[in-house]
Every structure is written in C-alpha cells, then in structure tokens.
C-alpha cells in the first residue's frame, strides 16, 4: 500500500481542522490499509492510523498492514466498541465521520459514548483521494481491462439465436471467473430484442432470435478493482432503424472518447456523445449519463454527465467508463461501453476499441 | 404481495406512537411493496403507503404495486427530494426512520428540509415482521432449498485431487446459475486442506489433494430469497484426527437440528451443537455461532448463538441455518450447514440431510 495515501488523508484532515477521521466505508478502509473486509473501521490522525477489526479479520489485518506502521485494535465486542476504545486513548477534540456511510444508529452510539468529543459529518474526504489512481491501481485496472476484453471477445460464441438470456449471462459469469475475476462487479445484463430498451434489464428466459440486437453489460472485480464493459451484438441482419441506432451510438462513443483529456469538463465529454445522438434524432433516446468512475467501487467519481457542474474537469489518473446508449421501446436498445484512463493529451483505452461488425 | 404486511407495519407504528415510518432499506422496501430496486424509499402510515422511486424504476414500481393500493411518487431529482415532497403532503408529526440503515448525511438533509416534523431513529420495525415467513415466502425458500441441494449433489464431480479452489468455485457458481438462481448470495467459499481452518477463506489457486477435506460454502438468491449451504467433502482417506473432527461436526449438527422447535431458546439450539463438540474436545475449535436467519437477506434474524439473550425463542415460520464447524490450524476445518423452517413440534429441513460418505 503506498504510504502516501495516509499522508494525503492526514493533509485532508488538516484542511478541515479535524484531529481525526473515523473511516467506516469498507472501500475507503481498503484504500488506506489494504484490508479487504466487510466490517471494520479505521481511525486516521495526521500522524497515525489505527485499524479496528474483530477476531474474524485479525490475521488478514496483520498481513495487510505489515510494515506500514498502521496499528491494529482487535475489538472484543463490536467494531464500534473497538473504535470507542481507540478514541478514548487518542482523545481528539474534533473527529470527522463519513456522512454518506455511517448510519444514525452507529453515530448516536458513538456520540453518546464519546462525549465531549465532537463528531462532525464530512463528505468524500477519502473518495476525493481515490479519484486519482496511483501507479499500483493503474496497473491493476490495465490488467483487469485486458481480461474483461478477452471475455467480451468470447461473447460471439454465446450470443446465438436460440440461446436464452439467462444462459448467456451464465456463460459470461463463468468466463469472468475463469479469466481470474473474483466476482462480477454487478449483476450481468443480457437484454435481447425489445428487452434492450430497458437500460437496467435483468436476464430473462427469453430466447435470442435472428435479426435482433443483444445488449451485454458486465463487469468484474480483479484484485479489488472494478472494470465494466458493454457490447451490443447483432444476430444476422437487423432492421435498418436498429442498424442506424447502432451506428449512431458507435459514433457517439468515439466522439466522447475523443473529448477526454486532462482539463476537459465532464459535462463536455457527456455533451460530445449527446450531440452526435441528437444529430441522428436520438436525443430523447439517451436518458442516462455517459460514464462513471471505476476503482475499488464500480460506481465512483467522477460522474460524466450533463448534470455535473460545468467547472468539474477530469484530470490525469482518473479512470471512468464511456457508455452512451439509445433505447427505443419496441425497437430495442444499443449501448457500447469502454473504460478509459486519462493521460497527458488524451486517454488510454483500458478495454478494447468498440467491437467491429 | 400479501396485503397484511402493510397492515402489520401500520400496527407497529401505532405501538411506537409514530404517524409514519420512512423505510429506506432495500430489503424492507421489497418486503412491503414487492419492488426489487437498489434505490428507493417507502413512506408507510397506518392507512397508506407511498413508494418513492426515480425514473429508472418507474415501470418496475408500477408493475410491483399493481392492485395493492400502494401509491407511487416519481422523484424528479433524488429519492430524498421525492420523500420530502411526500412528507410535505402528508404532514405527519412524528416520523420513524431506520436507524440501522439511514446515513447521517441523508438524515440531516431530511431533518433540515422537514422541520418541524420530528424524525425518530427506530430499530428493526420491519425486520421484526420479516422474521416470521408467510406462505408465499416459505414456498420460495422450499424451492430454493431444493435447488441448492441439487447443486450440492453435483459437487462431488468437481472436488477432485488436482482441481484448483478457484476452479471449483467457478463450477459451483455456474451450477447455481444453471439451477435458476439469480446470483450467488455471497462469495462462494472453497477451502481445501489447511485453508479450511479459516471460516471465511477465499478461494485460492491452491490445488486439492488426496487425503484432505474441502469446505464448500455457497448460497444463492432465488426470486429474491436466500438459501445457504455448506458441505465438507473428503478426498480419499483423510487422517484419523480429521475424520474424528468430521464425525463430531456431523453429530453436533444433528443435535442442533433436533433441538429446533417452536419455543426453543436460540441459545439452547446453539448449546446443543456446542455441547457435542465440547464432548469431543473441540470446544475451542468452534468460534462462530450456530446459525443465522435467511430470507430477503442472507444474514437476518434470528441469530442462533450463545450471545443472544436466554429468553429469545424461535417460533414457527422462522427460517435459519444450522452450521456448526470446527477449525484447527494446520489440520483444517469442517463445517456442515443446512437450512431449517421451524414448524409445529420441530423443524422441516429445507436442504438435504447432511451428506453421507
């Protein structure tokens, strides 16, 4: 674990005039300490870090923090009781808590036990650090991108007339496992024919047929890091309007990818895709945003969407999806998604270029 | 969706002198409305229920609540903004929120927007209803139990010397999909030889070998409902101490299952397993609880453990796991898990009887 993550977190505390930050979100705990655990907490001060776990994760925690200087507190009862013990030793005056993650039941318990320590709700202290990937993270995401692309190339074998959507989804999931992914990053989407018009369709027992499009959207977790990819495959000759929609989405994706560079406004990257679709009469067929950040979570910052403030700009080291789509009830849907890393002058594609016909 | 779930929720409000309950936990929303969505909210009053969703779930919400009398509010911006709009129309004085689920950031936003409405943290209002399964839920859990048992019977094919743990896990996951499960209920555990001594082991590239035990712990989600099963398979002749540990765990599981009946204390069911293991000198080898409830979540009430209060008794209609284990560093581990439904006079096994050699 790069030690400067803790140093950067400490600097963040200083700016917010906090003596400590209680980190409770598992992805943030993993980012700071390397520990992959469903339960735990981390107390960060400008000069130290204590990881609180229960007996289940005692061994894993020791291995994760070996040599890092991070201390471990084994909680006897609950994680919160362990956190309270750490705070009583440290005696900070102002402690930040993660407002988007800590529940009110836990907040109330901690506040009552820790009086007069002041608990202050904070927003995205660690998430803001996570948005710029370091070299170690980029290497994992590159490798994950290669592996998910290899799975996508196999998809043509499964997407054939007569196969059921759920069967295709099972093949995708098995291939991800085989490729080395720990698990799917989300429930795999296989949406054929008219089902394609729902962006969040779940696979059904519907069988694929000649002359239709099939949206495959899947992601995998590799060594903790998430990648996410969508392909729309065509079975035989599709109707001309569907074909035009497919070409328009390909063009929109290429335009958005071309717009990615350090300093580009996130809203402008989204706008590049949206303008292409509008020019093809598909403005109202594209209801979602163009992309989302990837990392320890499959949806994280930055958001690439028309609703982000105009001054939010992407920076080198950010990793996100570019996934415009078009959805027309009755006709079906098209979505094409790849993952990009922002680099000097533009971006590096972490997944394959959009599929050729 | 049985309409009496809402009636029972309304009665719960009355007892707590609440005018409304804001339900934010997805499993609780699904229980009350039938909607399966990652984001949403539900405002329950003694006489009505409003489901708040955004545009993504508008169609699914209409289908879920058709004919139920539940109203739908489509949120323009965030779910919380939609909730605020509903509350301003209803004007309740005292509103319960789910303390174990609502984050402090959302609580603060709602409180500031809704003054002078009083928001009160509540604990397990809907979870307490969910613990007794109704006929519809029992039928789904029975079917899911049959399906997961069929997957377990295939496991002998995959658990062979030379196979890697990750390969066995991939086969389990593929078979669950094939059997009709929507997804694994948690990351499948395959822990061979010495790895078996970690109750929460993750599958590695380690290859299975002759003469060792392999713990397989997996679960599936079927029509929203979770089942969970563990088998310990033996490859060829295992060392005598391992064999004795295996027999002791089988005996402990049988004792715990025999102790299940309406009115039995959860701690006594746990104690039945624990006494058997202690008699075999394995008291300290069994560090976790004997079982946990199953339903819309894979870990829910009741807890079958020595730490629950002595007066917590199981009731007919509860569904939970019985999964004693023994773990000895160096030697490995054994865990055997089945799912039971409490019925008059005893329990019904939802999964197969423990595996025969």
């Amino acid at each position: 674990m790069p030690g400067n993550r803790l140093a950067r977190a400490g600097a963040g505390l200083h700016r917010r005039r906090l003596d400590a930050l209680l980190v409770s979100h598992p992805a943030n705990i993993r980012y700071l300490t390397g520990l992959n655990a469903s339960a735990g907490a981390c107390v960060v001060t400008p000069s130290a870090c204590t990881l609180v776990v229960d007996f289940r994760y005692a061994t894993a925690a020791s291995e994760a923090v070996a040599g890092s200087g991070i201390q471990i507190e084994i909680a006897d009862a609950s994680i919160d009781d362990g956190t309270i013990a750490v705070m009583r030793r440290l005696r900070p005056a102002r402690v930040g808590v993660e407002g988007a993650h800590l529940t009110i039941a836990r907040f109330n318990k901690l506040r009552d036990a820790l009086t007069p320590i002041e608990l202050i709700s904070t927003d995205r202290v660690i998430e803001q650090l996570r948005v710029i990937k370091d070299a170690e993270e980029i290497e994992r995401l590159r490798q994950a991108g290669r592996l998910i692309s290899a799975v996508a190339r196999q998809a043509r074998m499964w997407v054939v007339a007569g196969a059921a959507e759920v069967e295709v989804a099972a093949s995708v999931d098995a291939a991800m496992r085989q490729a080395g992914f720990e698990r799917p990053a989300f429930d795999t989407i296989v949406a054929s024919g008219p089902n394609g018009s729902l962006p969040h369709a779940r696979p059904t027992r519907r069988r694929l047929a000649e002359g239709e499009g099939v949206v495959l959207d899947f992601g995998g977790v590799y060594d903790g890091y998430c990648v996410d990819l969508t392909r729309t495959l065509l079975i035989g000759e599709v109707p001309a309007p569907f074909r035009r929609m497919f070409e328009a989405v390909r063009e929109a994706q290429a335009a958005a990818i071309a717009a990615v560079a350090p300093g580009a406004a996130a809203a402008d990257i989204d706008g590049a895709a949206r303008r292409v679709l509008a020019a093809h009469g598909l403005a109202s067929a594209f209801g979602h945003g163009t992309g989302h950040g990837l990392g320890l979570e499959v949806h994280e910052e930055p958001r690439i969407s028309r609703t982000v403030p105009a001054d939010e700009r992407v920076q080198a080291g950010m990793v996100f999806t570019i996934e415009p789509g078009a959805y027309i009830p009755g006709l079906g849907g098209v979505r094409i998604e790849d993952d990009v890393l922002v680099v000097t002058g533009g971006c590096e594609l972490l997944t394959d270029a959009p599929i050729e016909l």
Side-chain angles (χ1 to χ4, degrees), chain A:
Chain A
M1 197 56 43
N4 70 358
R5 293 184 190 171
L6 282 172
R8 290 163 70 213
L13 298 192
H14 189 75
R15 276 198 302 281
R16 292 174 177 84
R17 297 187 303 110
L18 297 172
D19 303 305
L21 178 70
L22 169 59
V23 180
S24 55
H25 184 47
N28 291 342
I29 294 170
R30 183 166 187 172
Y31 181 75
L32 293 175
T33 71
L35 178 69
N36 176 16
S38 56
C42 186
V43 180
V44 181
T45 69
S47 60
C49 177
T50 306
L51 174 59
V52 183
V53 292
D54 62 27
F55 75 96
R56 292 177 298 166
Y57 292 108
T59 307
S62 305
E63 291 171 6
V65 307
S68 68
I70 295 172
Q71 293 177 295
I72 294 177
E73 171 87 12
I74 308 292
D76 284 333
S78 72
I79 295 295
D80 289 335
D81 293 321
T83 301
I84 289 165
V86 172
M87 294 285 186
R88 284 183 177 154
R89 286 203 303 273
L90 291 175
R91 300 187 164 277
R94 285 168 50 88
V95 176
V97 297
E98 299 186 300
H101 305 296
L102 195 68
T103 64
I104 50 178
R106 292 182 65 190
F107 178 85
N108 289 344
K109 174 177 175 173
L110 292 167
R111 183 196 53 199
D112 294 349
L114 291 174
T115 305
I117 295 174
E118 191 185 356
L119 298 186
I120 295 145
S121 180
T122 64
D123 184 35
R124 305 183 303 141
V125 178
I126 305 301
E127 282 84 346
Q128 283 174 8
L129 306 180
R130 284 171 44 200
V131 71
I132 305 293
K133 269 62 184 177
D134 59 34
E136 181 182 326
E137 295 180 292
I138 288 171
E139 208 30 70
R140 287 183 194 178
L141 285 160
R142 273 197 187 114
Q143 178 63 6
R146 284 182 207 114
L147 292 170
I148 201 95
S149 303
V151 173
R153 283 192 295 271
Q154 297 174 60
R156 178 48 83 186
M157 292 194 301
W158 314 314
V159 176
V160 292
E165 289 176 352
V166 289
E167 292 166 359
V168 176
S171 298
V172 170
D173 291 356
M176 283 199 285
R177 269 279 203 193
Q178 194 62 34
F181 288 98
E182 296 156 34
R183 76 180 74 90
F186 53 87
D187 287 356
T188 293
I189 294 171
V190 179
S192 64
N195 292 352
S197 68
L198 297 170
H200 291 84
R202 291 164 195 271
T204 70
R205 302 210 166 265
R206 182 181 188 281
R207 294 193 177 278
L208 281 44
E210 268 308 293
E212 62 186 28
V214 184
V215 178
L216 256 69
D217 187 350
F218 54 98
V221 185
Y222 179 79
D223 211 359
Y225 282 78
C226 301
V227 286
D228 182 1
L229 178 148
T230 306
R231 294 289 176 258
T232 302
L233 299 181
L234 312 180
I235 307 182
E237 282 299 309
V238 295
F242 191 92
R243 182 62 186 230
R244 285 195 293 272
M245 185 162 73
F246 181 87
E247 297 295 349
V249 172
R250 286 222 291 190
E251 193 187 324
Q253 198 211 20
I257 290 172
V260 176
D268 289 345
I269 299 170
D270 177 89
R274 214 165 285 283
R275 264 194 310 279
V276 171
L277 288 166
H280 288 277
L282 292 167
S284 66
F286 178 33
H288 56 75
T290 291
H292 55 83
L294 293 169
L296 287 168
E297 293 177 281
V298 71
H299 288 101
E300 54 177 65
E301 297 186 46
R303 306 279 152 185
I304 309 298
S305 135
R306 58 189 149 173
T307 61
V308 298
D311 61 349
E312 281 194 16
R313 294 174 187 284
V314 305
Q315 300 170 54
M318 288 184 176
V319 171
F320 48 83
T321 69
I322 296 287
E323 50 175 311
Y327 312 91
I328 299 184
L331 183 61
V334 173
R335 183 168 61 258
I336 303 174
E337 174 183 33
D338 285 280
D339 304 339
V340 300
L341 163 69
V342 184
V343 296
T344 307
C347 70
E348 174 186 325
L349 267 176
L350 298 179
T351 49
D352 280 353
I355 197 159
E356 288 304 317
L357 292 170

